[in-house]
Structure formats: C-alpha cells, structure tokens
Amino acid sequence: MDKLVNILIKYRFVVLSFCVFIFFYGLYSIKKTPLDAIPDLTDTQVIVYSKWIGQSPSVIENQITYPIVSNLMGLAKVKSVRGYSMPNYSIIYVIFQDGVDLYWARSRVLEKISSIQDSLPPQASVELSPDATGVGWIYQYVLVSKNRSLDELWSIQNFYLKYGLLSVENVADVVSIGGFEREFRVILDPKKCFQFNISLEDVVKALKETNKETGGKYIEYNSREFIVRSKGYISAIDDIKNTVVKVQNSVPIKIGDFAKVVETPAFRMATADFNGLGNTVGAVVIMRSNANAYETIKQVKEKLNSLKAGLPSDIEIIPVYDRSKLIEDSINHLKKVLIEESFVVVVVIGLFLLSITLGIVVVIFLVLSVLTTFILMNLFNINSNIMSLGGIAIAIGTMVDASIVLIESFVKRKEEGKSVVDALKESFSEVGKPIFLALLIVAVSFIPLLALKGQAGKLFHPLILTKTFSMLVASVLSLVVVPVLIYYLGRGKFIPEEKHPLVRFFIKIYTPLFFLAVRYRYIVLILIPISIVGNYLIYKNLQKEFIPQLNEGVIMYMPITSAGISIQEAQRLLTLQDKIIKKFPEVETVFGKAGRADTATDPAPLSMIETIITLKPIDKWRDGMTYENLISQLDRQLQLPGVVNSWTMPIRGRIDMISTGIRTPLGIKVYGSDINQTLELAKNIEMSLTGIDGIMSVFAERTSYATYLDIVPDREKLALYGLRVEDVAKTIEYLFGNIPVSVYISGRERYNITIGIPRDLRQFPEEVILPLNDKFIPLKAVAEVKRVSSTAEIKSENGLFVSYVYITPKQDADITKIVQTATERINKEVNFPAGYYYQFSGQFEYWQEALNDLKLIIPLVLITIFVLVYLSFERVFETVLVIVTLPVSVFGGFLVMYILGYKLSIASITGFLALLGVAVEMSIVMIIYIVNALKESKIVSKEEFINKVYFGSVKRVRPKTMTLITILASLIPAVLLKGPSSEIISVVALPMLGGILTSFITSLFLIPALYSLKVGKEIKSY
C-alpha cells in the first residue's frame, strides 16, 4: 500500500485530470442515458397478426390460427405460443426464451410464415406486427370539436395526424380508437335486381372495372411530350350510381337503377368515450421495443404541436395518458432521495470529524462514484428508471464506507502528529486492503442475483447491475482518488478522538455494555440460534407477493361484461361508467375503450373495457383520501348488473396481459382439447372460489355465450339449382360481411366500397333473395338459418385450447394463501376429465419461478461471501465468525417487516441479499480493528487479550458509528420518502434498514463475545 500511495501522490495531477474527465463524461452519460419509468418486463415476443373480415372465430381458428400455431411451436428457442381467434382477426403471440434477439426472432417467424403461406386462405392477410408490445402504449389522446362529426375527426386522425406521428423516430404505430370510418355501400334491392336480371357477380365486376386509372406512355405534339393518362377514379357517389352494369336491348342498366349508394359507418371492433360524453375519436401512440420512452414522448408532443397548425381551429387535441409524467415524477423522486442521502452523509461526516475539507473529500468521491456508475450504465445500455436509480440509492451509504474508514484512520494518525504523507501511508496500510475487499464482497456477493430469470430478472437486473457497478466503482475510487483528495484537503488540525464530545458519549455508553457482553458471552451467543428460529417463524407468518403494487399515478379500470354484447350496448355501458368515474373530484380525465384497437398489441374482445383514469395532483384530493380508498369507492359506485370489475395500472396491466394472457394479478388457465369443456370447467372453478377470503373478484370467461346466425347450406337443394356451397358462401360474404369490392380515393384518404342489402332484410335473412348467376333464389330455399350460441373468442396455448379465470386479490391479501386455499377447493369440488388440467398464472407464476431461481442463488451468495471473507483474512476463525453472525443481522430485517406489516416479496428478498453484503462489511470493519489491536504487541495474559479486544472495539467506535449512521441515513429517505413508483425501492431498503441495526449490534457485542472465547486457546497466534 505504501508504494500505491507514493505512486498516486507522484502522479496526482494525472489522477485529478482523470477526475475531471469522469465528471464531464459522466454528465454526458446522464444526458444520453434513456429514461423510462420501469424496465420493459415483456418477454422477447413476435406477434403474428391476421385479418379476414367477415369470418367467425371458428373459421379463423381452423383455417388460420391453428395451422400457424402448430408450425411455429417447432421454432428454435420458443418458450410458448398463444393464439387468439376472434371475429375477423387472429393474433398469435410467439414467446421466446430470455436473451433472444428480437430481430433474430422476427426473421425466424417470418421464414416459417412464408413457408406455409400457400396453405392459408388467399383472402386472409397475414403479417408480423410492428416491433412493439402493449407496454409501448406510451401516449394517448382524443380529438374534440363542437362543429365536426365523428367521421370527419376519424379522417383527420387517420389521414393527417397519424402520418405525421409515424415520422417520429421510434414510433412503431399510431392506432385510432372510436369514431366512425366512412364506407360507400351499394345497397341492392333484390326485387329490382330480379327485374333487371342483375346478378351479384355483375355488380362486383362493374364496381371493380369502373374505378380505374392507367397510363398510355406519351404522345409528342409540337416538340413537347404529353404523358397519356386515363382518369377513371370514382370521385363522388353519383359516379357509382352512374356505373353501367350491363346493357339490355340497347338500354344501359346503371347501379342507381336497382340499388341505393350511401355513405355509412364501416364495421367497428371497438368504441371509445371521453369523460362520459359519448363516442369520441382517440388514438394510441405505440413505441418501438427497447426505445427511449421519455425522448419518444417528447418528440411526439413536439410533432403534435407542429401538426396543430394544419388543423381546423375548432379541433382540440387533449392528452388522456402521458407516461412521461410518470417518468419525470419517478426520476425526480429518486433524485430527491439521492440528494437527501448525500447531504445527510456529508453532515454525519462533518459532525464526527469536525472538518469541512474532509467532508468535501467525501462529496467529491460520492459525485465521481455516481457519475462513473452512469458511464457504465450508458456503456451497458441500462436505462435510467426507478430500478436502476434505486440500485444507486440503496448503495450510497455503503459506497462512502471505504472513504469514511480511510479518512477516519488518516485523521487518527494526524492526531498522533504524523505528516500528511506518513498518515496516508499508515492508514492505507492498516485498513486499505481489508476495506477494499469488504466493498468488493458487497459488490460481488450481489452478482449471483443476475441468475434471476423471467419477470423478476427483467425487473431487478438493472438494480442489481447499478448497485454492483456503484460498489465496484467505489472500491476502486477509494484507493485511487481518495488518497489524492486527502493529500490536498487533509492538511488541517483535527480534534483527538478521545476529546470529541460525540465520540466520548458513545464510548461512555459502549464500555459497560462491552464488558457485559464479554462476561456473559455464552448468553450473548444464544442470540445466534434464537435469531435463526425467529427468522424462520417470521418468514412463515409474513404474507407473500411477487412485487409490491407499483403506483403509476394513473388507474386502469378493466371491467368485463357478457360475451356477445352489441357495440351500441357497449357504448352505452362505457359512457355510463365514465360518467360515474368523472364525478369523483380526484379524477382529471377519463378515457374508456370497449373492444380492441386495430393493432396486434391489443387482444381485447368487445366485452372487455379498458378505462384510463388520470388523477389530479394529490394536493387537490379530499382530505384523507388514498389510492386504496379511491379505488374502493370507485368499485362500490361501479357495481353494475352483468359487469365484473378489475383494477390495475396501465403498465402493469399490459405487462400481465402480454406475458401470460391474464389481465389480473392472479389467474387460472384451464387446458384441454375441447373449448366448450374448458369453458365449463372454468365456470365451475369460479363458483368454487367464490367467497374465499382475500379475493375481491373472481370471473371465468363467458366466451361461449356469443350469439350466432348460422347459415347451413343444403347440398341436395343446391344441386337442384346447379349451385355450390361456394356460391352461397361468397354471396354471404358480400351481402352480410360487406367485404371491400373497391376503394374510393380522395387525395390521401381511402375508403372502402362495399355491397349490402337493406337493413329490414338483414333482420330476416331467411327471406333474402340471393342474386346467384342468372338465378334469384330465396336463402331459405337452399339453406337452413339457425340462431345459436357459440364461442365469441377461441384461445389456445401450445396447441391446446385454454380458458381463463380472472382473480383480483384484495390489497392486503396473501397470494400464496389464496392459491393454497383455491387449490384445495378446486381439487375437492371440480372434476377434471382425462386430458384436462389447470394451472395458476399471473403474479403467482412469476413468484414460483423466482423462488426456484432463489434456491440456487441464495447458496451461491453465501458461498461467494464465505470465499471472499476467507481471502480477506486468510484465517478460518474470522471467516466462520462473520458467517455465523449473519442470522442475527437478517433477523432485524425480518422483525421490522413483521412489525410494519410488510409482505415478503422478491423486492424484499433482494434487500435481504443486499443486507448480507453490508452486514459482512460491518463485521469486517470491526474485525480489522480488533486484529490490528491484537497485533500491536505480544499478548501474554487473558487480561491483556481482553484489553486489546476492548481497544479494537470500544476505542475505535468512531469509524463504526460513522459507518452505521451513514448507511442508515442513506436508507431512511429511500424508505420514508413517498412518491411515484417508490413502492419497490422502499421495500428493498426496509429489510436493509432493520438488518443494519442488528448488524451494528452484532459487530459491537457478538463479535467481541466470540473473540473472548479464544482467551487461553489461540493467544499466541496473534
């Protein structure tokens, strides 16, 4: 260490230049590091999106979903394949294993889709969705106007605003919700068609041929070139009406002679509402995967502001969901925590050392350590979010430990009259290597947590990495930068430790307690087995959860109603709910959606409602109102017939839906080979779980209760007319399905041209006359028309049909107890046929996966600590001493969680594992001083041995107390300061806070007591 100090002082200007470089490069890295609220917890997934307008779920499942799913299951590194077959659409989620590159996965899926394209219906469009997920729903807005119709607003959104926003970097898609899309429909009069002998094929052919433009190269006139164009696009309804279908007896028969041409709303899969005012036009901006959310939202807002200049003055764009506010609030909260922690740490050092200049040393060291951590974050592509910054927040107190111990040891030597250089050399020789290794233990012992996989891994890896980076950086800078800073700023005079009023106070209290601990050492040792038993008992009695509910500052209300609901009824229900919600004084805006937006990232059926409730700032809430109370009151007011409520947050809810398909925190999946049987079993599970303590709501899917109008052709009757099933099917597609025949082009706008029949005939389809070829036949003459109930949506997973049971636990419920009770009831009350089974999903699935990982991680952490401690001391006794005191340290964490009513989660377990490293460090600091005291001179008696232990423990209480208070001061703000998204970090910090207190007690009393056992046995070894 002497050589290192000499080198550093000799090249101190190089070190200072290095510090300046770190400072400016660190500021640059902070600016360049992407910002988001939380890490993206979604799996690597590719979404296959298929559209076949007019088809039922069974047709979609049999002809599109199942063929694709069965082929994709064999792809390399695929974890699961989920299929959703809905009217007109199919969505297939291909979930890959962790770590698979997204674009490699997309290319593999695309290759497989291309190879089976010929076996899929030619009318269906099959494509990969944009490289985005539901978590990419970063910004939503509505268009409001007192003068414009909904179809006008829809056109402005889709043909003006959408194109502008798609030009923003990292915007993957812009999806419209609500309003009406125009459609030009030719409504046939069957009687007139019969009168003019017009078949459906005639109309289709005429519409396709009347809407064309082409070119004819060019013609040269008078040395000029004129490009030839044939202008034939339809530009008005009259163009359609005047289209000639055929000529009879030299008389042209036009479409207007036997049909009406009208503008009508196109088929809709969703509707929307804003503040309970009725149907509205909204839009969702979807961000590309792994992009910078904050920067993307910023650019979206700037683009919208520039696009407003081209909007009519009466149109207003109102944001209804803006994730950047959550990001700003979360980052600002953690910045506040970091600043307060740093301030308190500096104050503590100032109080104990009574030196402003040495306080400045710690400030510079701390700033450089944090900035270097940001440099590493930028190099390793780690976003700034609540988890990554939280890792820095919980590490700050421990980061400064090395500098504190080094500075305190330097001050001790200065008090003895040593020169600056000599004091530096001696202090580094005494504590430099051990404290460096202690910080290294804190850093390295946390690394095994990187073995966490799935949701837990994605959530906590940023925290684990930044905390590890912080400790590694601190351990290096403490040896490289701190000596140079002390060389310049440690030249004043210092009050001797024995004369410092605070130190004298602590010595006065500690001395009698020390001798009591040594005298009754065997009683003190009982703390170890007591803490082991206490840890186990508290662990068994703590409630369990995967992670604390993250407060995003925005509520997502997700009720579900009966399948088969009409879009008009869904609109009425949605508007009613939003009116009720808007009456609450805490609510700023309400934006509701029923059904699915036209994007592969939204699999919601029409019976599922998603309402984004943006809240006012908390200082404008009623006195005593909390998030929990607000949700409880909303839930009571929204108890409507036929509606089952569910509450979550936007990011959390979409992560759950995408990762598992379950949109509630807990759910059950029922698997089998018959969709109707799985639905029935799911319903039976719902009945068996009703009334379980801790469950707010339980609801099994009712997708089998959608109503259908089945048209079943009679092949024998068709044969009498010389017709085929294809003829009837094609006619149904055009007349009832309104599949597009041509496209109306108006500038940049595009609207479909379709064919249909009068509304009154649609009500009685049996009476419809089919204009087939040259025949006009009533539908009832060749087919049976039946009204039946069947599935509105077909779900599958890994080739089997699956049905969901949604469970919303109460806020204070223990998920593991709910699962245990539910399992007992299901096994007792529900009979599963052979080939059918169920499994729990949602957060319980994540919890089980994380526990399985922790069974490997915790032993790895303990082995790592044991090895590193042994390398630090190269003595078995000290190594074992550190390890056996860990249960006492952990007991403080468990005790404070039990007293305050916290649940055990992956977040708190992460805090416990972080605590182990800090506890080891505190024990090492104590042992360093005891061992150094024992080595000062030859020990010849028991009394001398005890006195040496006393000197190493009590007389060196200052650095230990400073270490304790700085760590506590850094953790208290993380626990107590409440703000957006602070729930997880506070739960990580809480067990550390409680454990640090018992770790301090362990180092002050248990370690000296254990050393006293060596009296008369190994005295000569020192």
Side-chain angles (χ1 to χ4, degrees):
M1 283 294 177
D2 287 353
K3 291 182 179 179
L4 176 62
V5 173
N6 287 332
I7 292 171
L8 292 173
I9 293 175
K10 181 178 180 180
Y11 296 102
R12 55 189 179 275
F13 292 110
V14 175
V15 175
L16 292 176
S17 300
F18 174 68
C19 293
V20 173
F21 170 77
I22 288 177
F23 180 78
F24 287 105
Y25 188 31
L27 293 178
Y28 169 80
S29 297
I30 290 175
K31 185 178 179 181
K32 296 297 290 183
T33 302
L35 296 176
D36 205 340
I38 63 173
D40 189 348
L41 305 184
T42 55
D43 299 295
T44 299
Q45 62 176 264
V46 179
I47 307 174
V48 181
Y49 183 45
S50 306
K51 184 187 296 187
W52 192 5
I53 299 299
Q55 304 306 313
S56 67
S58 59
V59 173
I60 298 287
E61 173 70 23
N62 293 329
Q63 299 191 39
I64 298 179
T65 307
Y66 178 70
I68 295 177
V69 167
S70 58
N71 278 277
L72 292 177
M73 286 172 59
L75 285 180
K77 300 182 180 180
V78 167
K79 187 162 63 175
S80 67
V81 183
R82 292 200 309 271
Y84 296 82
S85 298
M86 297 162 282
N88 310 292
Y89 300 94
S90 166
I91 301 177
I92 298 168
Y93 293 90
V94 188
I95 314 297
F96 285 83
Q97 297 171 5
D98 290 344
V100 174
D101 179 72
L102 173 62
Y103 294 100
W104 180 90
R106 288 175 66 86
S107 65
R108 298 289 82 77
V109 173
L110 188 59
E111 288 174 2
K112 182 59 72 173
I113 295 297
S114 299
S115 69
I116 63 172
Q117 188 72 52
D118 292 341
S119 63
L120 301 175
Q123 308 94 319
S125 65
V126 182
E127 60 187 29
L128 296 189
S129 73
D131 50 343
T133 67
V135 181
W137 288 35
I138 55 172
Y139 193 80
Q140 299 180 41
Y141 61 88
V142 295
L143 299 181
V144 176
S145 173
K146 295 180 180 180
N147 305 320
R148 308 276 166 177
S149 63
L150 289 171
D151 66 297
E152 288 180 281
L153 293 176
W154 188 95
S155 297
I156 290 170
Q157 162 57 34
N158 281 271
F159 300 116
Y160 177 64
L161 294 176
K162 177 178 179 178
Y163 293 151
L165 293 174
L166 284 174
S167 67
V168 175
E169 185 181 6
N170 290 323
V171 170
D173 202 0
V174 179
V175 183
S176 302
I177 306 173
F180 297 111
E181 177 186 1
R182 286 185 203 168
E183 186 173 286
F184 294 89
R185 185 167 299 167
V186 178
I187 300 178
L188 302 180
D189 184 332
K191 293 181 179 179
K192 290 185 177 180
C193 287
F194 176 73
Q195 178 183 345
F196 290 108
N197 194 29
I198 301 295
S199 68
L200 181 62
E201 290 81 358
D202 295 333
V203 180
V204 172
K205 181 181 178 184
L207 287 172
K208 289 181 177 179
E209 294 177 350
T210 195
N211 192 30
K212 285 187 176 181
E213 285 195 3
T214 186
K217 293 187 179 179
Y218 66 90
I219 297 175
E220 186 176 334
Y221 285 115
N222 298 326
S223 301
R224 289 188 65 84
E225 182 181 282
F226 289 79
I227 298 174
V228 178
R229 295 185 299 177
S230 171
K231 303 283 285 182
Y233 282 149
I234 293 172
S235 59
I237 286 180
D238 286 342
D239 292 343
I240 301 176
K241 291 180 179 179
N242 293 326
T243 297
V244 176
V245 177
K246 64 167 53 175
V247 178
Q248 293 180 355
N249 300 323
S250 300
V251 177
I253 308 300
K254 302 176 183 178
I255 286 178
D257 295 331
F258 58 84
K260 290 182 180 180
V261 183
V262 296
E263 284 189 35
T264 184
F267 173 78
R268 295 181 294 155
M269 284 292 292
T271 188
D273 173 82
F274 176 61
N275 284 347
L277 301 175
N279 197 350
T280 191
V281 174
V284 180
V285 179
I286 304 175
M287 179 187 69
R288 189 162 283 113
S289 294
N290 301 318
N292 186 336
Y294 186 76
E295 187 62 29
T296 303
I297 296 172
K298 180 181 176 182
Q299 293 178 18
V300 166
K301 290 178 180 178
E302 292 173 353
K303 192 66 177 181
L304 279 174
N305 286 332
S306 67
L307 291 172
K308 285 179 182 178
L311 290 175
S313 59
D314 60 302
I315 294 180
E316 184 180 3
I317 299 176
I318 301 176
V320 292
Y321 177 69
D322 181 357
R323 193 187 296 178
S324 65
K325 186 178 185 304
L326 171 63
I327 296 171
E328 290 172 352
D329 291 345
S330 301
I331 300 301
N332 289 337
H333 170 72
L334 283 170
K335 283 180 180 177
K336 182 179 179 182
V337 171
L338 290 172
I339 291 170
E340 292 195 9
E341 288 177 346
S342 304
F343 175 75
V344 173
V345 166
V346 173
V347 169
V348 169
I349 293 168
L351 286 174
F352 276 88
L353 299 179
L354 298 178
S355 171
I356 297 175
T357 56
L358 291 178
I360 294 173
V361 170
V362 176
V363 171
I364 295 172
F365 165 78
L366 193 57
V367 170
L368 292 177
S369 298
V370 172
L371 289 175
T372 308
T373 302
F374 271 99
I375 292 172
L376 293 174
M377 286 172 60
N378 195 33
L379 292 175
F380 284 86
N381 296 318
I382 301 173
N383 290 1
S384 287
N385 52 58
I386 61 169
M387 301 306 294
S388 58
L389 295 184
I392 301 174
I394 64 174
I396 277 185
T398 316
M399 285 165 63
V400 299
D401 281 354
S403 60
I404 287 174
V405 174
L406 289 169
I407 289 172
E408 196 280 337
S409 181
F410 167 80
V411 170
K412 185 72 174 176
R413 298 298 180 276
K414 283 281 289 177
E415 290 169 358
E416 296 171 357
K418 304 285 178 62
S419 67
V420 171
V421 175
D422 290 339
L424 267 176
K425 290 180 179 179
E426 290 186 21
S427 60
F428 266 68
S429 297
E430 179 188 22
V431 297
K433 179 184 175 182
I435 198 65
F436 170 78
L437 291 174
L439 286 187
L440 202 61
I441 290 172
V442 176
V444 175
S445 64
F446 214 49
I447 291 177
L449 274 169
L450 291 174
L452 279 173
K453 300 186 292 293
Q455 289 268 309
K458 294 181 180 69
L459 181 64
F460 287 99
H461 280 176
L463 181 145
I464 296 164
L465 287 171
T466 52
K467 183 180 183 298
T468 303
F469 289 160
S470 299
M471 300 312 305
L472 290 174
V473 165
S475 62
V476 173
L477 293 185
S478 63
L479 293 184
V480 176
V481 175
V482 170
V484 175
L485 295 176
I486 292 176
Y487 177 79
Y488 283 106
L489 300 173
R491 297 179 177 275
K493 293 184 178 180
F494 305 100
I495 298 176
E497 186 174 4
E498 294 79 6
K499 296 182 179 180
H500 194 293
L502 272 178
V503 177
R504 290 172 59 191
F505 171 75
F506 284 116
I507 291 176
K508 185 177 180 180
I509 294 176
Y510 184 22
T511 298
L513 296 175
F514 168 84
F515 285 110
L516 279 175
V518 171
R519 178 179 300 176
Y520 300 103
R521 51 188 173 272
Y522 291 104
I523 296 176
V524 172
L525 293 180
I526 297 176
L527 287 174
I528 296 175
I530 289 176
S531 64
I532 293 173
V533 174
N535 288 336
Y536 175 77
L537 292 175
I538 295 176
Y539 169 80
K540 297 297 289 185
N541 285 281
L542 284 176
Q543 292 186 333
K544 315 294 192 303
E545 65 179 352
F546 173 58
I547 56 172
Q549 180 69 42
L550 186 67
N551 185 356
E552 300 175 23
V554 178
I555 299 172
M556 191 174 185
Y557 172 50
M558 296 183 66
I560 195 165
T561 185
S562 60
I565 186 173
S566 69
I567 197 162
Q568 289 81 8
E569 180 61 19
Q571 180 71 67
R572 186 198 67 80
L573 178 62
L574 179 63
T575 302
L576 175 62
Q577 290 173 339
D578 289 358
K579 280 182 180 178
I580 294 172
I581 296 170
K582 189 64 176 69
K583 290 179 181 178
F584 280 74
E586 291 79 12
V587 174
E588 184 73 39
T589 61
V590 186
F591 178 61
K593 170 184 78 72
R596 61 179 299 275
D598 190 10
T599 169
T601 59
D602 184 14
L606 189 59
S607 58
M608 182 186 293
I609 295 173
E610 298 174 12
T611 300
I612 301 295
I613 305 172
T614 303
L615 304 174
K616 296 176 182 177
I618 293 181
D619 56 7
K620 296 183 179 179
W621 290 18
R622 288 170 287 174
D623 292 340
M625 182 60 71
T626 63
Y627 281 99
E628 292 76 16
N629 290 339
L630 179 59
I631 290 174
S632 178
Q633 291 184 20
L634 284 166
D635 190 69
R636 285 197 297 270
Q637 290 293 318
L638 291 165
Q639 294 296 323
L640 303 174
V643 176
V644 179
N645 293 338
S646 177
W647 302 89
T648 183
M649 302 282 174
I651 300 176
R652 180 74 254 174
R654 298 203 180 281
I655 288 172
D656 289 339
M657 281 193 290
I658 291 169
S659 299
T660 65
I662 300 291
R663 61 184 179 82
T664 50
L666 183 62
I668 298 174
K669 295 180 178 179
V670 182
Y671 296 92
S673 56
D674 186 320
I675 185 64
N676 291 315
Q677 182 68 56
T678 61
L679 288 167
E680 188 63 28
L681 289 170
K683 183 180 176 182
N684 292 339
I685 289 175
E686 176 198 314
M687 295 173 64
S688 70
L689 299 187
T690 301
I692 288 182
D693 186 38
I695 292 180
M696 179 185 291
S697 67
V698 55
F699 179 77
E701 292 180 311
R702 300 298 203 274
T703 58
S704 62
Y705 297 101
T707 49
Y708 284 82
L709 193 73
D710 283 355
I711 299 173
V712 185
D714 187 320
R715 297 176 188 272
E716 291 185 2
K717 292 180 180 179
L718 285 174
L720 295 176
Y721 293 98
L723 299 175
R724 300 166 300 172
V725 171
E726 169 70 14
D727 297 324
V728 176
K730 184 62 69 177
T731 305
I732 297 302
E733 280 186 329
Y734 279 117
L735 298 186
F736 290 90
N738 310 124
I739 63 174
V741 178
S742 189
V743 177
Y744 176 94
I745 298 175
S746 176
R748 292 299 184 194
E749 300 178 16
R750 303 288 189 272
Y751 304 106
N752 288 330
I753 300 174
T754 62
I755 301 174
I757 55 176
R759 186 177 182 85
D760 55 342
L761 289 179
R762 290 177 65 92
Q763 304 300 315
F764 303 97
E766 301 91 337
E767 306 299 328
V768 173
I769 297 175
L770 304 180
L772 296 170
N773 301 329
D774 58 345
K775 304 176 181 66
F776 293 85
I777 306 163
L779 180 58
K780 63 183 179 183
V782 293
E784 180 184 5
V785 180
K786 299 186 295 185
R787 290 166 176 81
V788 298
S789 294
S790 186
T791 52
E793 181 180 7
I794 300 174
K795 294 186 175 75
S796 63
E797 191 166 328
N798 295 333
L800 287 176
F801 291 117
V802 62
S803 296
Y804 296 160
V805 180
Y806 301 105
I807 302 171
T808 303
K810 294 178 180 178
Q811 289 287 336
D812 58 347
D814 184 339
I815 284 185
T816 57
K817 290 183 179 179
I818 291 176
V819 171
Q820 182 180 357
T821 306
T823 302
E824 293 173 358
R825 285 206 186 181
I826 293 170
N827 293 339
K828 181 180 179 181
E829 300 177 10
V830 182
N831 295 318
F832 282 81
Y836 292 81
Y837 66 97
Y838 73 95
Q839 67 179 33
F840 286 88
S841 189
Q843 290 194 14
F844 179 76
E845 184 179 350
Y846 309 146
W847 170 256
Q848 289 295 105
E849 183 179 14
L851 285 184
N852 291 332
D853 292 338
L854 288 169
K855 290 176 183 177
L856 171 67
I857 290 170
I858 292 175
L860 276 176
V861 170
L862 294 175
I863 292 170
T864 303
I865 289 174
F866 182 87
V867 172
L868 291 175
V869 172
Y870 180 77
L871 291 175
S872 299
F873 294 109
E874 297 180 352
R875 299 174 62 88
V876 175
F877 175 78
E878 279 75 13
T879 304
V880 174
L881 188 153
V882 170
I883 299 299
V884 299
T885 57
L886 289 180
V888 182
S889 301
V890 172
F891 178 73
F894 274 117
L895 185 63
V896 73
M897 287 188 66
Y898 181 77
I899 292 172
L900 297 179
Y902 276 64
K903 297 179 183 179
L904 185 68
S905 64
I906 302 302
S908 55
I909 292 174
T910 303
F912 277 111
L913 294 176
L915 167 65
L916 293 179
V918 179
V920 167
E921 185 217 5
M922 295 188 73
S923 297
I924 287 176
V925 171
M926 171 63 85
I927 292 171
I928 287 171
Y929 289 118
I930 292 177
V931 170
N932 287 339
L934 292 171
K935 287 181 177 179
E936 284 183 357
S937 60
K938 187 176 180 180
I939 303 170
V940 295
S941 66
K942 297 179 180 178
E943 291 76 12
E944 190 175 353
F945 184 93
I946 295 298
N947 286 335
K948 292 289 186 182
V949 174
Y950 168 78
F951 181 84
S953 301
V954 178
K955 292 297 184 180
R956 304 300 291 121
V957 74
R958 181 169 66 179
K960 301 156 199 166
T961 307
M962 289 173 65
T963 300
L964 167 72
I965 296 177
T966 52
I967 295 176
L968 288 178
S970 69
L971 291 175
I972 288 173
V975 173
L976 296 182
L977 287 179
K978 299 302 179 184
S981 307
S982 64
E983 295 81 5
I984 293 180
I985 300 305
S986 64
V987 171
V988 173
L990 183 68
M992 295 179 67
L993 184 64
I996 292 301
L997 291 171
T998 49
S999 295
F1000 185 63
I1001 294 171
T1002 299
S1003 65
L1004 290 187
F1005 302 109
L1006 190 55
I1007 289 177
L1010 287 168
Y1011 260 102
S1012 68
L1013 295 176
K1014 294 172 64 67
V1015 174
K1017 295 180 181 179
E1018 298 184 23
I1019 290 177
K1020 294 181 180 180
S1021 64
Y1022 295 95

